[in-house]
């Protein structure tokens, strides 16, 4: 019902506006078109000036009220560089913005039609034109220079000690693979993908490097102050690994792996304090439209200390063993049924094994 | 001067024109409703057909944006009226995800192609090219007519796609493969996508027929004395627009054809290593990124196809209404040319985060930021044009000033996005939505409005209501900034575009009140556009009749025609041109029309 009211009100408002407009036209005909035109000229010139002043106040107000809601300090070393670049661009474009907008509206107000003024016949001035070709060119050279310096730094090779994690998008979620103890990802082939038989990544089990690879969904862990290299892929359509707090993103393209690396600066716990938000988590947002579930394609990154990470990793079981329970040394060959109790026992034992291997 | 009569007489060019005119004169008497209003070959009527179709599309496309803004502004509110109209697409008064994505896809496609390409250059190229260069009609009136009817057919196909059971295409206006290639990946990638591709193919044909016609008309059919450097800037802008379209649309078409093959013929141009819904596909070896290269090879020039005509219109309107020549005419042409060239060399800046080679990316950064130079030249030249002028603030002038303001705002945010380092963070966020809506969406609309208000008397022989025009301008101007300015901040916070509900996201749920405000303002702005449409059609039939052939005191040739020119434009000979289009305020005279010969005592400039 309210909708109809709104529509009715809009229609009425429209009708009134139209009648006023029509009446004003008749009035202007009666008063003399030229006189009416000059009056509306003055009104609009004044409004342009008002728009300039109101607009400048609005820009300031908008900035004051929204800047607090823009993400706080970048949470990665690379993000800091991007923020610095943003700041440089912000100031340079800001200066141009204010000069040109003020000039535009001020001229429009100042040089409104008047009988006293003769328009100045001024078709060109080569010197002026050279000046305003060269100045933007120089400013842009600075921006390109800084931009490319950081661009190559950020997109350059990851440090050798970087932790490698494979992240794969699918409709609609994220999957992760850790290379395990050997730090080598086993080979995979998309035709082997078979989630029903515990092979969601299409790992080739014959490859020995696959024996210790660990697979998980939706949540990824990494270590603070330690570079992380993401090897990004997709199973179906193009997705995008968007890490707004780290200021990074990279597409996940089916058939063409991409990479991105960064160094997280704060643990999730530290960020909860910094952001003053107990619910804070690092989110992975899919930034490339991927279908109807695009909005819900949310992953989580937990940044923690090395000790916390090791403890978390210790209980993870390689996907090879999940797919081949018979090869699992921790599962007794006789035990064919995997009830919850035995599964728990497996995890505890695996944890023990992992801890031993670390030593 | 008196020698103009002697120039006219024996000239062969004029004679052919006369014959041409006579043909049409005969033709006039046999004109039926069908030949005059439907299958018309008169460029002026075709222009009107383009703008009316464009208006219908703009209403549809605008309405779609209002609908998805409702979802974004009020994700937890039910609107039962939506279910009344859209049934299962808005179950429980709540826009369903498939519907949401169909709406944004159609909003983009419709506004980019059908409104701001066909509706803008279709209208003004058709209307202005023959009138301003002094020609009786286009080089091929028949192809020109076909161009409109291909557009019309494309429109019919696109509309029909809205009514298929699985819904229209919903992969975004870019329709990236593999999402658009795999029927299993999305409802919108079923038959809706095929109809989208067919419609776009027809649209490309329309655009090519139109573009070739515009180019050949401008190059070959200028009247005597109308050298290229005497052309009004509108014509230059439309000329470059047409060239951009002719060179880039075929690439898009080829991309679409490969997509059709991937969809139906089992090829793997864009597909490789795909497991969709647990179903392993056979395709191997294709590249999903190839589609993006082919798409953006048109897609980027396309944004200049949209903005250049507006630049031309704004240059003309600002000069006429400042009563002052356009500043730096040659620099304006040069910058248009530079923009047209660079438009072809920057497409991969849409692809910085696709895994593009960073070294290759660096060239695209350089070339992209280079575009800011000719853009800056244009802005400074417009500013200098109004400086020390005598501004008549007609609605067309206000929209032109608004255009410059928006072009500055949106152009500067382009410098953020064109720099790949910053693009890593801002890519595919609301920042880019704010950027391109301001610089190419709203700004181009402003140029279009400026053109409509300025040439309405020429199109219909009647004046459009100015009071409504002023209301239209102020609400749209303030509304555009209210909608898109704060949106930049959402983008700086990393809020992704094409999300339909931000509440579950810890990082992005801080903008709910802002989103509500944006939605409410966009509804108001949309309502005011409807008011403009009403004004347009009302004034077309009931507006005050124009009494002067040259109501604005402009120099260009269209104002030498009768108030309601017939097919052939000039009842007598086509006038001869003796000077450039911008002698305003020269030697103390308010304006000197292009047809007036150079006086003996005239000062040197032009």
């Amino acid at each position: 019902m309210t909708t109809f009211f709104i529509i009715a009100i809009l229609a009425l408002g429209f009708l009134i506006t139209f009648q006023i407009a029509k009446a004003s036209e008749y009035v202007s005909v009666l008063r003399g078109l030229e006189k009416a035109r000059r009056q509306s000229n003055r009104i609009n010139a004044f409004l342009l000036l008002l728009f300039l002043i109101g607009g400048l106040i609005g820009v300031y107000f908008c900035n004051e009220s929204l800047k607090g809601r823009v993400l706080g300090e970048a949470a990665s070393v690379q993000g800091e560089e991007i923020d610095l670049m943003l700041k440089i661009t912000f100031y340079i474009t800001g200066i141009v913005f204010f000069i040109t907008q003020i000039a535009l509206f001020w001229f429009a107000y100042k040089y409104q039609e008047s009988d006293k003024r003769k328009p100045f016949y001024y078709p060109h001035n080569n010197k002026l034109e050279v000046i305003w070709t060269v100045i933007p060119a120089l400013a842009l050279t600075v921006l390109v220079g800084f931009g490319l310096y950081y661009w190559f730094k950020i997109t350059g090779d990851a440090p050798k000690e970087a932790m490698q994690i494979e992240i794969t998008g699918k409709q609609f979620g994220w999957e992760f693979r850790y290379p395990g103890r050997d730090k080598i990802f086993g080979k995979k082939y998309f035709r082997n993908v078979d989630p029903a038989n515990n092979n969601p990544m299409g790992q080739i089990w014959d490859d020995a490097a696959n024996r210790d690879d660990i697979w998980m969904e939706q949540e990824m862990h990494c270590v603070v102050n330690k570079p992380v290299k993401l090897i990004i892929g997709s199973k179906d359509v193009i997705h995008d690994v968007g890490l707004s707090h780290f200021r990074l993103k990279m597409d996940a393209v089916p058939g063409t792996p991409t990479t991105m690396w960064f160094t997280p600066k704060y643990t999730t716990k530290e960020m909860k304090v910094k952001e003053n938000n107990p619910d804070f988590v690092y989110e992975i947002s899919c930034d490339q439209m991927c279908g109807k579930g695009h909005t819900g394609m949310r992953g989580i990154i937990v940044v923690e200390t090395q000790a916390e990470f090791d403890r978390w990793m210790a209980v993870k079981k390689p996907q090879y063993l999940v797919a081949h329970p018979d090869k699992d040394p921790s599962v007794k060959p006789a035990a064919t049924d995997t009830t919850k109790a035995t599964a728990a026992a497996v995890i505890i034992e695996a944890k023990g094994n992992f801890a031993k291997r670390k030593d | 001067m008196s020698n103009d009569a002697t120039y006219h007489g024996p000239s062969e060019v004029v004679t052919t024109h006369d014959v041409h005119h006579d043909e049409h004169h005969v033709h006039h008497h046999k004109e039926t409703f069908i030949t005059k209003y439907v299958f018309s070959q008169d460029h002026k009527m075709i222009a009107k057909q383009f703008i009316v179709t464009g208006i219908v599309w703009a209403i549809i496309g605008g309405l779609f944006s209002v609908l998805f803004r409702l979802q974004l502004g009020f994700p937890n509110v039910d609107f039962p009226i939506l279910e009344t109209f859209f049934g299962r697409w808005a179950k429980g008064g709540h826009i369903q995800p498939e519907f949401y994505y169909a709406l944004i896809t159609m909003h983009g496609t419709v506004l980019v192609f059908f409104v701001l390409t066909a509706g803008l250059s279709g209208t003004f190229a058709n209307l202005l090219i023959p009138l301003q260069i002094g020609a009786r009609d286009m080089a091929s009136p028949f192809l020109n007519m076909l161009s409109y009817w291909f557009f019309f057919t494309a429109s019919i196909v696109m509309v029909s796609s809205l009514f298929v059971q699985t819904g229209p295409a919903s992969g975004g206006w870019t329709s990236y493969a593999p999402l658009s290639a795999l029927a299993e990946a999305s409802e919108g990638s079923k038959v809706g996508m095929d109809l989208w591709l067919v419609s776009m193919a027809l649209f490309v044909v329309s655009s090519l027929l139109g573009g070739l016609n515009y180019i050949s008309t401008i190059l070959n059919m200028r009247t005597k004395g109308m050298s290229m450097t005497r052309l009004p800037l509108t014509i230059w802008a439309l000329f470059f627009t047409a060239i951009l379209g002719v060179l880039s649309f075929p690439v898009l078409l080829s991309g679409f054809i490969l997509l059709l093959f991937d969809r139906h013929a089992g090829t793997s141009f864009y597909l490789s290593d795909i497991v969709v819904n647990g179903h392993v596909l056979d395709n191997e070896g294709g590249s999903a990124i190839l589609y993006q290269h082919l798409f953006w090879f048109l897609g980027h020039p396309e944004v200049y196809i949209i903005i250049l005509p507006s630049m031309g219109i704004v240059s003309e309107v600002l000069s006429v209404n400042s009563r002052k020549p356009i500043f730096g005419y040659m620099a304006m042409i040069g910058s248009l040319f530079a923009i047209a060239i660079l438009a072809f060399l920057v497409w991969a800046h849409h692809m910085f985060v696709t895994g593009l080679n960073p070294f290759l990316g660096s060239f695209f950064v350089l070339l992209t930021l280079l575009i800011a130079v000719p853009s800056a030249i244009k802005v400074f030249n417009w500013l200098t044009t109004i400086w020390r002028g005598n501004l008549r603030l007609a609605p067309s002038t206000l929209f032109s000033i608004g255009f410059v303001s928006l072009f500055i705002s949106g152009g500067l945010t382009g410098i953020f996005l064109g720099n790949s380092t910053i693009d890593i963070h801002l890519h595919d966020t609301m920042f880019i939505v704010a950027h391109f809506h301001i610089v190419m969406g709203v700004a181009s609309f402003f140029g279009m409005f400026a053109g409509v208000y300025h040439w309405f008397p020429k199109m219909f022989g009647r004046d459009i209501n100015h009071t409504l025009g002023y209301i239209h301008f102020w609400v749209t101007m303030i509304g555009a900034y209210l909608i898109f300015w704060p949106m930049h901040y959402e983008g700086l916070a990393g809020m992704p575009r094409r999300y339909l509900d931000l509440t579950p996201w810890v990082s992005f749920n801080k903008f709910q009140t802002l989103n509500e405000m944006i939605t409410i303002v966009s509804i108001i702005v949309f309502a005011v556009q409807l008011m403009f449409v009403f004004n347009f059609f009302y004034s077309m039939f009931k507006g005050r009749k124009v009494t002067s052939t040259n109501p604005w005191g402009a120099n260009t040739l269209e104002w030498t025609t009768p108030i309601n020119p017939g097919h052939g434009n000039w009842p007598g000979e086509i006038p001869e041109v003796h000077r450039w289009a911008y002698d305003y305020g020269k030697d103390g005279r308010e304006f000197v029309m292009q047809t007036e010969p150079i006086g003996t005592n005239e000062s040197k400039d032009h």
Side-chain angles (χ1 to χ4, degrees), chain B residues 25 61 88 96 142 155 159 172 182 215 217 236 245 265 316 320 329 369 394 530 557 559-560 569:
Chain B
H25 200 70
R88 69 190 167 90
Q96 298 299 302
F142 178 71
S155 298
V159 168
L182 305 173
I215 294 169
T217 309
W236 271 106
E316 174 73 16
V320 171
Y329 175 80
L369 293 202
L530 291 182
L557 286 182
W559 307 108
T560 61
N569 297 338

Coordinates of all heavy atoms in Angstrom, one line a residue, chain B residues 25 61 88 96 142 155 159 172 182 215 217 236 245 265 316 320 329 369 394 530 557 559-560 569:
Chain B
H25 N 12.3 16.8 -53.9 CA 11.1 17.7 -54.0 C 9.9 16.9 -54.6 O 8.8 17.0 -54.0 CB 11.4 18.9 -54.8 CG 10.5 20.1 -54.5 ND1 10.5 20.7 -53.3 CD2 9.5 20.6 -55.2 CE1 9.6 21.6 -53.3 NE2 8.9 21.6 -54.4
G61 N 16.5 0.8 -18.9 CA 17.8 0.6 -18.2 C 17.8 1.4 -16.9 O 18.3 0.9 -15.9
R88 N 8.2 -14.9 -9.7 CA 9.2 -15.7 -9.0 C 10.6 -15.1 -9.0 O 11.4 -15.4 -8.2 CB 9.3 -17.1 -9.6 CG 9.9 -17.2 -11.0 CD 9.7 -18.5 -11.6 NE 10.0 -18.5 -13.0 CZ 11.2 -18.6 -13.5 NH1 12.2 -18.9 -12.7 NH2 11.4 -18.5 -14.8
Q96 N 15.6 -11.8 -6.3 CA 16.4 -13.1 -6.2 C 17.7 -12.8 -6.9 O 17.9 -12.0 -7.8 CB 15.7 -14.2 -7.0 CG 14.3 -14.6 -6.4 CD 14.5 -15.1 -4.9 OE1 15.2 -16.0 -4.7 NE2 13.8 -14.4 -4.0
F142 N 20.0 5.0 -47.6 CA 19.4 3.7 -47.5 C 20.1 2.9 -46.4 O 19.4 2.3 -45.5 CB 19.4 3.0 -48.8 CG 18.9 1.6 -48.7 CD1 17.5 1.4 -48.6 CD2 19.7 0.5 -48.8 CE1 17.0 0.1 -48.5 CE2 19.2 -0.8 -48.7 CZ 17.8 -1.0 -48.6
S155 N 17.1 -4.4 -30.7 CA 16.3 -4.1 -29.5 C 15.2 -5.1 -29.3 O 15.0 -5.5 -28.1 CB 15.6 -2.7 -29.7 OG 16.6 -1.7 -29.8
V159 N 14.8 -7.3 -26.0 CA 13.6 -7.3 -25.1 C 13.1 -8.7 -25.0 O 12.7 -9.1 -23.9 CB 12.6 -6.3 -25.8 CG1 11.2 -6.5 -25.1 CG2 13.0 -4.9 -25.6
G172 N 26.9 -10.0 -16.3 CA 27.5 -8.6 -16.4 C 27.6 -8.2 -17.8 O 27.5 -9.0 -18.8
L182 N 29.1 -21.2 -20.3 CA 28.6 -22.5 -19.7 C 27.2 -22.4 -19.2 O 27.0 -21.7 -18.2 CB 29.6 -22.9 -18.6 CG 31.0 -23.0 -18.9 CD1 31.8 -23.2 -17.6 CD2 31.3 -24.1 -19.9
I215 N 31.4 8.5 -41.7 CA 32.7 8.8 -42.1 C 32.7 9.2 -43.6 O 33.3 10.3 -43.9 CB 33.7 7.6 -42.0 CG1 33.9 7.2 -40.5 CG2 35.0 7.8 -42.6 CD1 34.5 5.9 -40.3
T217 N 30.3 10.4 -45.3 CA 29.6 11.7 -45.5 C 30.5 12.9 -45.1 O 30.6 13.8 -45.8 CB 28.3 11.7 -44.6 OG1 27.6 10.5 -44.8 CG2 27.5 12.9 -44.9
W236 N 33.8 16.9 -35.8 CA 35.1 16.2 -35.5 C 34.9 15.1 -34.5 O 35.4 14.0 -34.7 CB 36.1 17.2 -35.0 CG 36.9 17.9 -36.1 CD1 36.8 19.2 -36.6 CD2 37.9 17.3 -36.9 NE1 37.6 19.4 -37.6 CE2 38.4 18.3 -37.9 CE3 38.5 16.0 -37.0 CZ2 39.3 18.0 -38.8 CZ3 39.5 15.8 -37.9 CH2 39.9 16.8 -38.8
G245 N 34.4 3.2 -33.7 CA 33.4 2.2 -33.8 C 33.7 1.2 -35.0 O 33.7 0.0 -34.8
A265 N 29.3 -25.4 -30.3 CA 30.0 -26.2 -31.3 C 31.1 -27.0 -30.6 O 31.9 -27.7 -31.3 CB 30.6 -25.4 -32.4
E316 N 30.6 22.8 -28.7 CA 29.8 23.7 -29.5 C 28.8 24.6 -28.6 O 28.8 25.8 -28.8 CB 28.9 22.8 -30.4 CG 27.9 23.5 -31.3 CD 28.5 24.3 -32.4 OE1 29.7 24.1 -32.7 OE2 27.8 25.2 -32.9
V320 N 28.9 28.7 -28.3 CA 27.7 29.4 -28.7 C 27.2 30.3 -27.5 O 26.9 31.5 -27.7 CB 26.6 28.5 -29.2 CG1 25.3 29.3 -29.5 CG2 27.0 27.8 -30.5
Y329 N 40.9 25.8 -30.9 CA 40.2 24.8 -31.9 C 41.1 23.7 -32.3 O 40.8 22.5 -32.3 CB 39.7 25.7 -33.0 CG 39.0 24.9 -34.1 CD1 37.7 24.4 -34.0 CD2 39.7 24.6 -35.3 CE1 37.1 23.7 -35.0 CE2 39.1 23.9 -36.4 CZ 37.8 23.4 -36.2 OH 37.2 22.7 -37.2
L369 N 47.7 6.6 -18.5 CA 47.8 7.9 -17.9 C 48.1 8.9 -18.9 O 47.8 10.1 -18.7 CB 48.9 7.8 -16.8 CG 48.5 6.9 -15.6 CD1 49.3 7.3 -14.4 CD2 47.1 7.0 -15.2
A394 N 21.4 28.9 -20.6 CA 20.2 28.1 -21.0 C 20.4 26.7 -20.5 O 21.5 26.3 -20.0 CB 20.2 28.0 -22.6
L530 N 12.2 11.0 -15.8 CA 10.8 10.7 -16.4 C 10.2 12.1 -16.8 O 9.5 12.2 -17.8 CB 10.0 9.9 -15.5 CG 10.4 8.5 -15.3 CD1 9.4 7.8 -14.3 CD2 10.5 7.7 -16.6
L557 N 25.8 25.8 -39.9 CA 25.0 25.8 -41.1 C 23.5 25.3 -40.8 O 22.6 25.7 -41.5 CB 25.6 24.9 -42.1 CG 26.8 25.4 -42.9 CD1 27.2 24.4 -43.9 CD2 26.4 26.7 -43.5
W559 N 21.5 26.3 -38.8 CA 20.6 27.4 -38.5 C 20.3 28.2 -39.7 O 19.7 29.3 -39.7 CB 21.2 28.2 -37.4 CG 21.5 27.4 -36.2 CD1 22.7 27.1 -35.7 CD2 20.5 26.7 -35.3 NE1 22.6 26.2 -34.6 CE2 21.3 26.0 -34.3 CE3 19.1 26.7 -35.2 CZ2 20.7 25.3 -33.3 CZ3 18.5 25.9 -34.2 CH2 19.3 25.2 -33.3
T560 N 20.9 27.8 -40.9 CA 20.5 28.5 -42.2 C 19.4 27.8 -42.8 O 18.9 28.3 -43.8 CB 21.7 28.6 -43.1 OG1 22.1 27.2 -43.5 CG2 22.9 29.3 -42.5
N569 N 17.0 19.4 -46.7 CA 17.4 20.4 -45.8 C 17.3 21.9 -46.2 O 16.8 22.7 -45.5 CB 18.9 20.2 -45.3 CG 19.0 18.9 -44.6 OD1 18.0 18.4 -44.1 ND2 20.2 18.3 -44.6

